[in-house]
Amino acid sequence: MNKSAIGLIGLATMGANLARNIANKGFRVSVFNRTTEKTEKFVKHATKSQSEPKGEQNVSEANSNLIGTYTLQEFVAGLETPRKIILLIKAGQAVDDMTAELSPLLDKNDIIIDCGNSHFKDTERRQKELAKHDLNFIGCGISGGEEGALHGPSLMPGGKKEAWKKIRPIFEKIAAKDFAGKPCVTHIGDFGSGHFVKMVHNGIEYAIMQLLAESYDMLKNLGGFSNSELAKIFTGYNKNPNLKSFLIEITAKIFVKKDPEDHSKNPHFLIDLIKDAAGQKGTGKWTTEIAHDLGVYAPTINAAVDARIVSGDTKTREMSQRMLKIQTTAKRLTPADKKKLVKQVENALELATMICYEQGIGLISKADKEFHWNLNRSEIIRIWQGGCIIRSGYLKDLAIALGADQKTAMTMFTKIMQNLGGDKQKSWRKVILLAVESAIPVPAFYATLNYYDSYAEARLPQNLIQAQRDFFGAHGYERTDKPGSFHIKW
Ligand code: 6PG
């Protein structure tokens, strides 16, 4: 009996598409889902499209590579050893349950690869547990949504290198490509580093999405631009080499999407009908938690998580809107001001986005030191160049700036610093000023500027905090002129 190169458990959209991707790349893949009908339907659909005359050749090959299995025993028995099993199931208890059911069926050196958005500490606990039975557990971040899973995601595997080597040929084939055509996958490092890096990716994702939402707010409510104009503006932003990104591209498309449920002659724009309460599954919040635990300053990620929280508090907002008076000092924008605003927001967005990546890298660097992971930051940025949600043109320069070639890295770093320190910075400040004057909340824009200004300032006012702590709590303070800890009776 022919055995499968790899197995995949969990046929929700992501799992189903990843299985198709693997099969499309010529690997035989066994699939299993708890609900048998889901597997039957998935495989039946695959076989059906196989016989469809218009199916491309690689599609029919792919479909014959998809093997439905209906018990875990059958699934495991059909895999080449060492077995490689991808889990694409709900993060949390489901991963523990599935691992517990699977492991007695597996042999030494078999590999479970958890591709869900699991917490890196859970991943490390599972790795330890399975290592007792000589089983490998890889925590693999996967980004790119449904489309990415099907056509090429960015993959962030973390775990034992020997286990990575076994899955590498498949993972390199199914991944997206970076700017140089290399696969957007690398061995991130041992332990939970893969899931940690994916979590930080999501933290950056939250931050950039919030910046885009604030830009939209400014342009719509201060600039008075219509949805069609907004689409044009964001399409224009996407031509800026640093801003060119998946998130800006989809944002431009969102503005012109009409309500599919409105069959009138002049349907409404869907964006105007969508509730303003943003949900979250948790990775953004985890990023802020670990940033606080590790003592890393990541204000934009914090601001983005907070902004989602306040957006969800619809009841309080609706109630307080009637009580809270707003006094603004804003003037009406002239057509020339409006034109300027488009450029100002573009400049602010460009620099602020750069700062979001910087905050993520700062967190990765600190975790690397703390947990002794020995991460390659340039490689991490490289594998975010394609497939993932935060892919952007800027990551070309950033990968170089973080690279091993010191001379090139320094030149690129200087170029980035010059951009941050140049004229565009005035726009960044101006956008925040305009927002404050017009009572438009821009927490992420402001947080990024605070990040920049705090690091640009050699002396912060926290000497006063130290004095206050010593005054009321005898917590002691350090002095600038001599070493040691001091306390006085204030
Ligand atoms: C990705 C996304 C993906 C998912 C987020 C959404 O990289 O493909 O990040 O993992 O869309 O988990 O997270 P929230 O529901 O928390 O916004």
Side-chain angles (χ1 to χ4, degrees), residues 51-81:
S51 57
E52 274 169 5
K54 63 176 192 301
E56 293 162 29
Q57 207 200 331
N58 67 345
V59 172
S60 27
E61 273 170 20
N63 293 334
S64 63
N65 282 335
L66 289 165
I67 313 298
T69 63
Y70 299 92
T71 64
L72 275 183
Q73 284 74 5
E74 182 198 355
F75 171 77
V76 166
L79 299 177
E80 286 171 11
T81 54

Side-chain angles (χ1 to χ4, degrees), residues 117 142-145 198 201-202 205-206 279-283 308 389:
N117 273 331
I142 170 166
S143 178
K198 173 61 186 6
H201 165 287
N202 281 25
E205 174 184 304
Y206 272 52
Q280 50 176 318
K281 291 202 202 85
T283 42
R308 287 200 193 187
I389 304 296

Side-chain angles (χ1 to χ4, degrees), residues 93-144:
Q93 192 57 43
V95 178
D96 286 318
D97 294 345
M98 184 50 80
T99 311
E101 254 187 89
L102 263 180
S103 38
L105 307 175
L106 301 181
D107 293 314
K108 209 175 151 182
N109 299 326
D110 284 352
I111 307 160
I112 297 178
I113 309 133
D114 173 19
C115 283
N117 273 331
S118 293
H119 196 288
F120 78 102
K121 285 192 178 153
D122 284 336
T123 300
E124 296 190 339
R125 172 176 55 75
R126 290 167 187 145
Q127 285 170 335
K128 270 196 202 131
E129 202 45 49
L130 288 184
K132 288 183 199 155
H133 310 282
D134 291 314
L135 295 174
N136 289 294
F137 190 86
I138 290 186
C140 180
I142 170 166
S143 178

Side-chain angles (χ1 to χ4, degrees), residues 222-252:
L222 183 65
F225 291 104
S226 68
N227 286 321
S228 315
E229 288 169 325
L230 287 168
K232 281 197 193 108
I233 292 170
F234 278 79
T235 305
Y237 289 175
N238 211 32
K239 295 194 176 117
N240 173 326
N242 277 337
L243 280 179
K244 189 172 169 43
S245 60
F246 170 73
L247 282 171
I248 294 201
E249 187 187 315
I250 64 164
T251 303

